[in-house]
Structure formats: structure tokens, C-alpha cells
Amino acid sequence: MAIAAAVLILIGLAVFMQVYQVKLSVPAGEHLSINLPDNSKVRLNAQSELTYKPLIWKFSRKIRFEGEAYFEVKPGKKFSVISAKGTTMVMGTSFNILSRGSNYLVTCITGKVKVVENRLKNEIILNPKEKAELNPDGTFNVQSNINVNQIISWLENNFGFTSVPLRRVFEEIERQYGIVIKYYSPNEYTYTGTFNRGSSLETTLEIVCRPFNLQFARKSEKVYEITEKN
């Protein structure tokens, strides 16, 4: 009976190690830096979520992730970041992942990165200064010799945009300042420019709205309305 009890305890412990996980969620308006059990580092952008199993990390370095994050991975066993649209695998390197809704974009900063589309299993290898964006058909659009500093400028609270729909810029402002923006305009503007999260919200809204002759008004503590000027 003692042996049977010991076996049951060991089985229970093994099951617990397999199912126990740590889940981190970063709300709008905040960033978070963490060290994983092997001292790999992750810096999470606002509205990002990460889950991992610390008790079996030595044997299986796997993360489930949605949002945007910058990873610095210590060399060792395969390190996998699993998102809704794709999986990124490395041994030891640094990279940036953006996985929000239908958007999945991986940028290799140092080392090499393997990216696999989850449905059709299309895969590519990225070298430094290369980024891959997932297309709707499951293929990847790869660009080389990119400015990686621009991709990870969010680590310094700088957010840059090149010919991006204005609505997406307002979505990023919502994310970084923890607010809600009600945007009313019949026009489909595109925006090229930057804003810094360290600036006041009103300063950021003024910078973004001015080129399009838009105005903003505070409707409540967390709600702003943006409309065309008369």
C-alpha cells in the first residue's frame, strides 16, 4: 500500500507539473518586463497576454502569446512562441512578435528565427534585419534590410507609422493610454508620423489630429471623441 501511495503521489505530482501555468496579462496603458525561468527576457506591450509552464520549463520552453512583445532568448533547448496564427521557434536570439487579430508579424533582431504558419504549416527562416508578415492565404511576405530600430521603438515608448490607416493609429493610442476613442469621419485618412507615450494624451491627440483638420473633445474620464472641424 505504501508503494501504491507513493506511485499515486508521483503521478499526481507529474500531472500537476504538466498543468500548472503562469498567465500574465498586460492591460491598456501599461508595459511589463519579465524574466523567464532560464533568464530569457520578455518585454510586453500594452494589451498583451503570455502563458507558460514554469515547472517543466527546463524540458519544454513553450509560450502561448497574443499581443506584441520583444524576446531575448537564452541559448538552450528549442524555444517556441505559439500564437493564434503562427509559431516562432528559436534556440537563442532576439526577436519581436506582433500577433493581434488577423495580424501576425515577426522581426528577427539577432540570430535566426523559424516561423511556421499554424494552419498550412508554411515555414520560413529569418535572419537579422528581416521581418515576415503573414498573408491571408497562409504565405509570408518577407522583407530584408529593414530598420529594426523602428520596429522595436515601442520599447522606448516611441510609436511610428508609415501610410497607416488613421483608425489604426487611434487604436494604438487607445492601447497605450488606456482610453476609448470614438472617431467620426467619412474620410479614410492614412497617417505617417510618430507619437511618444511619454507625452500627455492631449499632446498626442493634437499631433495626430492636426494634419487632417480634426478636433478632439473629452467626453468622460476615459472617453474621447474625434470629429471633423466645421
Side-chain angles (χ1 to χ4, degrees):
M1 291 184 64
I3 294 175
V7 171
L8 288 175
I9 291 173
L10 289 174
I11 292 174
L13 179 60
V15 171
F16 176 73
M17 292 176 66
Q18 286 285 342
V19 300
Y20 177 72
Q21 61 185 20
V22 172
K23 184 175 182 179
L24 300 171
S25 298
V26 185
E30 296 184 21
H31 292 187
L32 178 66
S33 297
I34 66 167
N35 286 347
L36 295 169
D38 61 350
N39 283 323
S40 293
K41 301 180 186 302
V42 186
R43 295 179 66 177
L44 296 156
N45 202 344
Q47 289 186 330
S48 297
E49 186 174 282
L50 179 150
T51 304
Y52 67 97
K53 297 180 178 180
L55 299 182
I56 60 170
W57 186 258
K58 183 177 180 180
F59 311 101
S60 178
R61 302 196 298 174
K62 290 184 179 180
I63 287 174
R64 293 202 172 269
F65 170 76
E66 294 298 329
E68 183 171 22
Y70 171 75
F71 294 81
E72 291 183 352
V73 178
K74 292 289 186 181
K77 292 181 179 292
K78 183 174 69 176
F79 185 107
S80 300
V81 182
I82 305 166
S83 300
K85 295 289 183 179
T87 299
T88 300
M89 292 173 281
V90 301
M91 299 295 285
T93 186
S94 60
F95 57 96
N96 194 84
I97 296 179
L98 173 64
S99 177
R100 295 191 189 278
S102 61
N103 297 317
Y104 185 68
L105 175 64
V106 180
T107 304
C108 180
I109 312 301
T110 62
K112 287 189 177 183
V113 175
K114 181 179 180 180
V115 187
V116 181
E117 190 271 341
N118 287 343
R119 183 172 57 91
L120 300 176
K121 304 303 179 184
N122 293 321
E123 63 180 58
I124 55 168
I125 301 294
L126 295 179
N127 294 301
K129 295 186 178 181
E130 290 185 340
K131 70 176 181 180
E133 186 168 10
L134 185 62
N135 297 316
D137 64 358
T139 61
F140 287 100
N141 177 28
V142 179
Q143 297 181 39
S144 302
N145 296 318
I146 63 169
N147 183 354
V148 295
N149 291 327
Q150 185 177 25
I151 297 292
I152 60 174
S153 63
W154 67 268
L155 298 172
E156 304 298 330
N157 292 323
N158 293 315
F159 297 84
F161 308 89
T162 302
S163 298
V164 171
L166 187 58
R167 292 182 184 276
R168 283 181 53 187
V169 180
F170 288 140
E171 288 173 1
E172 193 62 50
I173 293 174
E174 288 180 313
R175 186 175 296 117
Q176 298 306 321
Y177 287 91
I179 61 166
V180 174
I181 293 177
K182 296 183 178 180
Y183 173 46
Y184 303 99
S185 174
N187 300 304
E188 294 296 329
Y189 296 116
T190 58
Y191 180 78
T192 297
T194 63
F195 73 81
N196 186 284
R197 184 169 170 261
S199 300
S200 69
L201 172 60
E202 287 72 17
T203 297
T204 294
L205 289 175
E206 178 64 28
I207 290 173
V208 175
C209 290
R210 187 188 305 124
F212 308 102
N213 200 35
L214 298 173
Q215 61 187 359
F216 64 91
R218 184 178 180 182
K219 294 301 179 179
S220 66
E221 182 180 0
K222 294 286 186 177
V223 178
Y224 285 74
E225 184 179 88
I226 295 177
T227 57
E228 301 272 354
K229 289 183 179 179
N230 297 325

